């Protein structure tokens, strides 16, 4: 895992659980356990591939990688693992993911600029289980 924010041309990986609001409303204790497992799986895949998590909001992750290959490998590994999980009390977690590569601005461990905006727009167009 990257311990400091990488700079230069980066590949951003954004993730979000599709339908999580409804899942929270239907069974908050089960969703809390499912979210903890989701977070564990994402962090492991990201760390193993040198990614840098710069923001988490609710069930969303925002990460930066120095190469597109590392970011794509992390996304695919997480999707495979999530599909293989036995979700005891919740519906299966379907996570949408988006990748975009470009040069951005880093400030205090956070990123700004067109590549970040583009990956967020791509994520909003996705559905659970997709990597765009």
């Amino acid at each position: 895992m990257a311990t400091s924010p990488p700079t230069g041309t980066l590949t951003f990986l954004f993730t979000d659980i599709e339908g999580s609001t409804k899942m929270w409303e239907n069974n908050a204790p089960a969703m809390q356990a499912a979210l903890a497992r989701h977070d564990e799986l994402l962090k492991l895949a990201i760390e193993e591939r040198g990614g840098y998590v710069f923001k988490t909001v609710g069930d969303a992750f925002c990460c930066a990688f120095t190469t597109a290959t590392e970011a794509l490998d992390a996304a695919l590994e997480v999707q495979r693992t999530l599909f293989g999980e036995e979700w005891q009390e919740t519906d299966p977690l379907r996570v949408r993911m988006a990748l975009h590569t470009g040069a951005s601005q880093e400030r205090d461990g956070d990123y700004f600029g067109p590549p970040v905006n583009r990956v967020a727009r791509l994520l909003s167009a996705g559905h659970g289980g997709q990597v765009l």
Side-chain angles (χ1 to χ4, degrees), residues 3-68:
T3 55
S4 62
T7 57
T9 299
L10 303 172
T11 297
F12 294 94
L13 166 63
F14 283 19
T15 74
D16 180 55
I17 298 173
E18 185 174 50
S20 62
T21 301
K22 183 178 179 183
M23 295 169 88
W24 277 106
E25 290 169 353
N26 289 342
N27 190 342
M31 186 57 184
Q32 185 173 10
L35 183 61
R37 180 67 177 145
H38 160 274
D39 290 357
E40 179 183 326
L41 295 172
L42 259 76
K43 286 178 187 175
L44 180 63
I46 292 163
E47 288 175 1
E48 286 180 347
R49 286 150 187 90
Y52 176 76
V53 178
F54 63 93
K55 190 179 298 183
T56 59
V57 179
D59 55 53
F61 272 68
C62 301
C63 317
F65 291 83
T66 57
T67 72

Side-chain angles (χ1 to χ4, degrees), residues 61-127:
F61 272 68
C62 301
C63 317
F65 291 83
T66 57
T67 72
T69 301
E70 293 166 339
L72 181 58
D73 285 348
L76 295 176
E77 176 62 24
V78 169
Q79 291 292 21
R80 280 191 288 268
T81 304
L82 289 169
F83 280 124
E85 280 289 302
E86 296 281 334
W87 301 101
Q88 300 298 320
E89 296 183 46
T90 63
D91 292 333
L93 296 186
R94 298 293 179 234
V95 178
R96 60 183 150 223
M97 299 182 180
L99 303 167
H100 186 73
T101 301
S104 68
Q105 301 168 5
E106 182 268 330
R107 184 173 61 238
D108 297 326
D110 201 354
Y111 294 92
F112 305 89
V116 175
N117 295 339
R118 287 187 186 114
V119 73
R121 285 190 185 101
L122 283 170
L123 183 66
S124 69
H127 296 285

